[in-house]
Amino acid sequence: MKIACLQFAPQVGDVEKNLSRADAVLSKANSEDIDLLVLPEMAFSGKSRIPDIFSDNDLSDSRLTNYIGYNFSSLKHITPYLEFATFGTTSLWAKKTALKHNCIVTVGYPEKVDPCSSESAKPEYYNSTLTVNKEGKIVANYRKSFLYYTDETWAHEGSGFFNGHIDGLGNVAIGICMDLNPYKFEAPWNAYEFAYHVLHKQANIVMLSMAWLTREDQKSFGLLAKEPDMETISYWIARLEPILRADVTGEIIIVLANRCGTEREATYAGTSAVLGIKNGEVRVYGLLGRGEEELLIVDTNEHPKAKIVSQARSAQSN
């Protein structure tokens, strides 16, 4: 399967420029014959800086909060960028791109629910991703389940991680950024909610749209734009540990589409990747640098570029 991650640096609130920026990255790459294209969380609305309401103490747990993106600081702040799933800016772009490139497209966006389609009398808003098939039809609309603090200022919690069969992909699990972490950072580290979801639903492909930060110094981090952030990729793999330990038939493909760039204090980790997990081994099919605005294209039918062997699995086999 040919899989592409579109890593770029959208700017908060500049929707038209962000759309043009994504199109420019696509046009520069050889994007023919791809089967799946995945974009970051809230790809075109952009992400806001860390709100001033958070103190250094709120962000002090380096194992957890170093690795999570931050959303808009209030409902008022994000309201101009909220979209309906069926005919919003992101939906129209995804449908156009799917038809143009004859591929499945998954992209993040801030969703407002059409009141005519909701049972609730109150307005509903979600941090969502939509997936459009090659015919330009929406086949999945996933709503983020594990909200970060700043998601909670405007978004409702989704009803659970997505799983389902999508023609051309198979059994699919979908998550968004914080979904990879323990619930509200209150659940035990080893609860591994999302990883166990992948196993329980027997997904063969996992798509994660990200807006994942690094807490490293902005200037020094930017000097290594073409180098992946190995601390970030190691953390992502650590959160998938149950999949590494599991005895499953066949390979599970993990697609991690992150954004890059900076916004004031915030520096995004980039490092978008396509991984395969099988028999305790992580196969690295492709990996972008922390600051590269590029389209990562890999073919999972070809040999991986590198392999990482799980220490936990190795210890079990001794």
Side-chain angles (χ1 to χ4, degrees), residues 2-59:
K2 274 196 171 182
I3 300 172
C5 292
L6 201 165
Q7 178 172 293
F8 72 124
Q11 296 301 302
V12 64
D14 198 343
V15 176
E16 291 303 318
K17 187 174 181 179
N18 293 337
L19 290 165
S20 298
R21 205 162 186 158
D23 285 334
V25 174
L26 269 174
S27 65
K28 286 192 300 182
N30 181 15
S31 55
E32 299 301 318
D33 301 322
I34 60 175
D35 300 300
L36 172 65
L37 171 64
V38 184
L39 281 79
E41 178 182 8
M42 296 210 299
F44 301 127
S45 54
K47 305 289 285 186
S48 69
R49 67 182 180 88
I50 301 171
D52 295 333
I53 59 172
F54 291 103
S55 68
D56 290 340
N57 290 335
D58 293 318
L59 305 173

Side-chain angles (χ1 to χ4, degrees), residues 247-298:
D247 289 315
V248 295
T249 302
E251 184 178 36
I252 299 175
I253 299 297
I254 314 290
V255 185
L256 300 132
N258 197 21
R259 62 156 293 180
C260 61
T262 61
E263 286 177 357
R264 298 189 184 182
E265 302 96 332
T267 303
Y268 294 89
T271 316
S272 296
V274 179
L275 310 175
I277 298 178
K278 185 178 182 181
N279 298 328
E281 183 179 77
V282 179
R283 303 173 180 184
V284 182
Y285 288 101
L287 187 61
L288 286 178
R290 61 190 70 188
E292 292 183 294
E293 288 194 87
E294 281 194 25
L295 186 69
L296 172 68
I297 303 176
V298 307

Side-chain angles (χ1 to χ4, degrees), residues 22 56-57 62 107 120 126 143 157 160 180 193 237 244 250 263-264 311 314:
D56 290 340
N57 290 335
S62 61
V107 56
S120 174
Y126 297 93
R143 293 163 175 169
E157 194 171 274
L180 197 56
E193 300 97 325
I237 292 171
L244 287 162
E263 286 177 357
R264 298 189 184 182
Q311 292 182 351
S314 297

Side-chain angles (χ1 to χ4, degrees), residues 213-230 232 260-262 267-271 289-291:
L213 289 173
T214 178
R215 293 286 302 280
E216 288 190 27
D217 175 72
Q218 196 171 88
K219 185 175 181 180
S220 59
F221 192 81
L223 292 174
L224 300 171
K226 293 187 178 297
E227 297 294 324
D229 180 8
M230 296 311 296
T232 291
C260 61
T262 61
T267 303
Y268 294 89
T271 316
R290 61 190 70 188

Side-chain angles (χ1 to χ4, degrees), residues 51-78:
D52 295 333
I53 59 172
F54 291 103
S55 68
D56 290 340
N57 290 335
D58 293 318
L59 305 173
S60 60
D61 187 339
S62 61
R63 188 174 72 162
L64 297 177
T65 57
N66 280 9
Y67 305 100
I68 180 70
Y70 295 86
N71 299 335
F72 288 81
S73 57
S74 68
L75 177 58
K76 182 180 179 181
H77 188 191
I78 198 172

Side-chain angles (χ1 to χ4, degrees), residues 189 192 196 237-247 279-282 308-318:
W189 173 267
Y192 294 117
Y196 280 122
I237 292 171
R239 294 301 303 156
L240 299 170
E241 184 178 330
I243 303 174
L244 287 162
R245 292 178 177 271
D247 289 315
N279 298 328
E281 183 179 77
V282 179
I308 303 170
V309 178
S310 163
Q311 292 182 351
R313 186 59 181 256
S314 297
Q316 284 183 325
S317 63
N318 288 339

Side-chain angles (χ1 to χ4, degrees), residues 122-160:
K122 296 181 179 180
E124 294 181 12
Y125 312 103
Y126 297 93
N127 184 339
S128 303
T129 63
L130 59 83
T131 300
V132 175
N133 68 12
K134 295 180 179 182
E135 289 73 45
K137 297 179 180 178
I138 296 174
V139 293
N141 187 65
Y142 168 66
R143 293 163 175 169
K144 189 176 183 180
S145 297
F146 287 8
L147 303 183
Y148 193 61
Y149 297 112
T150 46
D151 287 315
E152 292 174 349
T153 64
W154 66 272
H156 291 69
E157 194 171 274
S159 59

